């Protein structure tokens, strides 16, 4: 049987329901487990964590909106992730982790062999928490790291913490999506992020919605998009004090870059599909030579030479 999904939202789970969930995890019949905003006893949360530890099929684990509500639960989740090898995406949005909780969870996150997406939005993090997260964004040539990172709504992080993150993003060899929406970043941090994006070879999506930016930030970002070749394809600037004209200019430039890449990709595909390779060369006595070759898929090789 192919692994399926269990998605429950905002309910109080009975012990019988938790037993069924754990059975599915142990039988490797669950690929996605989402218990977003659910309520369950401490004992039953422990059972779920043990099921996660034993599962070889679970790829996505969603415990958003307060399920990991105390230090004891953080410890149990950390132990589960130390054993689990299959989880690729972990969502803890809206959990009161704090830096202390993340410090307990971080050793398991840093050694997990499959984790590529992490949501720590609205988790009451500060600069120390950001410092730990930077370790999950290894530089070029190091071990694999996160491809998607969400840190929305963590107002306790200062410009110093965001500066450290910007440096890690600039050198990350993996990160493709970064969501920083609804943090009080301001123009100073936006400038740091612009430098990080210009340096990054992988970042494709940056969400800065509602982060206190002005036209000053937008002009810096516009200059970055206009003058530096980056991987960036989507930049979200809604809910900021930025003129619609500047936002449109940035959007147009990003769209142009995407269209150029798509055009180049189509040309490469067309060349790959063309079974003939034509090559012209000149010999030393100025005579011309034309060689026509088939794709080699069972056809005869043709060669025609003009002397």
């Amino acid at each position: 049987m192919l692994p399926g999904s269990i998605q429950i939202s905002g309910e109080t789970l009975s012990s019988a329901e938790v037993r069924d969930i754990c059975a599915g995890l142990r039988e490797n019949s669950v690929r996605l487990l989402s218990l977003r905003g659910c309520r369950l006893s401490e004992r039953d949360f422990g059972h779920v964590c043990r099921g996660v530890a034993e599962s070889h099929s679970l790829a996505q684990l969603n415990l958003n909106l307060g399920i990991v509500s105390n230090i004891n639960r953080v410890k149990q989740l950390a132990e589960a992730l130390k054993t689990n090898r299959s989880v690729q995406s972990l969502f803890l949005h809206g959990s009161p982790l704090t830096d202390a909780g993340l410090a307990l969870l971080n050793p398991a996150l840093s050694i997990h062999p499959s984790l590529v997406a992490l949501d720590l939005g609205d988790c009451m993090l500060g600069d120390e928490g950001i410092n730990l997260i930077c370790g999950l964004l290894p530089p070029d040539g190091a071990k694999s790291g996160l491809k998607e990172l969400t840190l929305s709504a963590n107002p306790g992080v200062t410009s110093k913490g965001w500066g450290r993150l910007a440096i890690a993003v600039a050198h990350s060899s993996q990160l493709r999506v970064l969501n920083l929406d609804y943090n009080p970043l301001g123009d100073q941090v936006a400038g740091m992020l612009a430098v990080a994006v210009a340096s990054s070879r992988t970042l494709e999506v940056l969400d800065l919605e509602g982060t206190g930016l002005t036209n000053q930030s937008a002009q810096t970002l516009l200059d970055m998009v206009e003058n530096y070749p980056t991987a960036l394809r989507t930049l979200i600037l809604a809910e900021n004090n930025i003129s619609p004209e500047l936002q449109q200019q940035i959007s147009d430039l990003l769209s142009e870059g995407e269209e150029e890449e798509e055009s180049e990709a189509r040309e490469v595909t067309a060349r790959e599909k063309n079974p003939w390779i034509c090559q012209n060369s000149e010999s030393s006595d100025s005579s011309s030579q034309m060689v026509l070759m088939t794709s080699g898929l069972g056809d005869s090789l043709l060669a025609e030479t003009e002397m």
Side-chain angles (χ1 to χ4, degrees), residues 5 96 107 109 116-117 140 166 180 193 204-205 207 212 216 220 255 261 276 288 295:
S5 65
L109 300 179
V116 293
D140 294 346
L180 300 178
L193 291 171
E204 298 175 356
V205 178
D207 187 351
Q216 178 183 332
T220 301
S255 297
E261 279 200 355
W276 300 95
S288 65
S295 61

Side-chain angles (χ1 to χ4, degrees), residues 1-6 23-31 55 57:
M1 182 175 64
L2 292 174
S5 65
I6 298 175
L25 290 170
R26 287 193 298 271
E27 293 166 4
N28 295 314
S29 62
V30 179
R31 180 171 176 80
S55 176
S57 64

Side-chain angles (χ1 to χ4, degrees), residues 8 15 20 54 78 90 92 97 114 130-131 136 156 191 204 214 226 236-237 270 300:
I8 309 172
S15 294
D20 289 341
E54 296 175 21
L90 177 63
L92 298 175
L97 279 182
S114 303
I130 295 298
N131 224 15
L136 304 176
E204 298 175 356
T214 69
E226 193 169 22
I236 302 171
L237 295 172
S300 59

Side-chain angles (χ1 to χ4, degrees), residues 199-217:
S199 301
S200 173
R201 291 180 291 177
T202 60
L203 192 67
E204 298 175 356
V205 178
L206 178 60
D207 187 351
L208 298 177
E209 180 176 356
T211 50
L213 308 188
T214 69
N215 283 345
Q216 178 183 332
S217 300

Side-chain angles (χ1 to χ4, degrees), residues 107 155 162 175 278 290:
W162 294 126
L175 192 65
C278 298
M290 178 176 65

Side-chain angles (χ1 to χ4, degrees), residues 27-183:
E27 293 166 4
N28 295 314
S29 62
V30 179
R31 180 171 176 80
L32 185 158
L33 175 60
S34 177
L35 302 179
R36 186 174 180 272
C38 289
R39 296 169 293 278
L40 64 166
S41 69
E42 294 296 317
R43 181 180 180 183
D44 284 340
F45 182 84
H47 289 324
V48 170
C49 286
R50 285 191 286 276
V52 168
E54 296 175 21
S55 176
H56 300 292
S57 64
L58 186 64
Q60 186 175 128
L61 179 60
N62 186 330
L63 300 176
N64 283 350
L65 301 183
I67 297 179
V68 185
S69 55
N70 56 55
I71 288 296
N72 185 53
R73 292 191 175 193
V74 173
K75 291 178 179 178
Q76 292 183 83
L77 178 60
E79 287 301 313
L81 291 173
K82 285 179 182 178
T83 304
N84 176 276
R85 291 291 180 269
S86 63
V87 170
Q88 299 171 19
S89 302
L90 177 63
F91 301 91
L92 298 175
H93 201 111
S95 303
L97 279 182
T98 72
D99 290 351
L102 184 57
L104 293 172
L105 192 60
N106 186 66
L109 300 179
S110 61
I111 64 171
H112 199 285
S114 303
L115 188 68
V116 293
L118 180 63
D119 185 345
L120 295 177
D122 195 17
C123 283
M124 303 173 64
L125 301 179
D127 289 354
E128 289 304 313
I130 295 298
N131 224 15
L132 295 171
I133 290 167
C134 289
L136 304 176
L137 303 172
D140 294 346
K143 63 179 183 179
S144 61
L146 296 177
K147 295 182 179 179
E148 298 184 20
L149 175 61
T150 296
L151 294 170
S152 316
N154 281 295
V157 181
T158 70
S159 59
K160 182 179 179 180
W162 294 126
R164 288 176 179 170
L165 181 70
I167 294 171
V169 169
H171 294 284
S172 171
S173 58
Q174 303 286 324
L175 192 65
R176 297 181 182 277
V177 178
L178 178 61
N179 298 310
L180 300 178
D181 47 312
Y182 297 102
N183 285 297

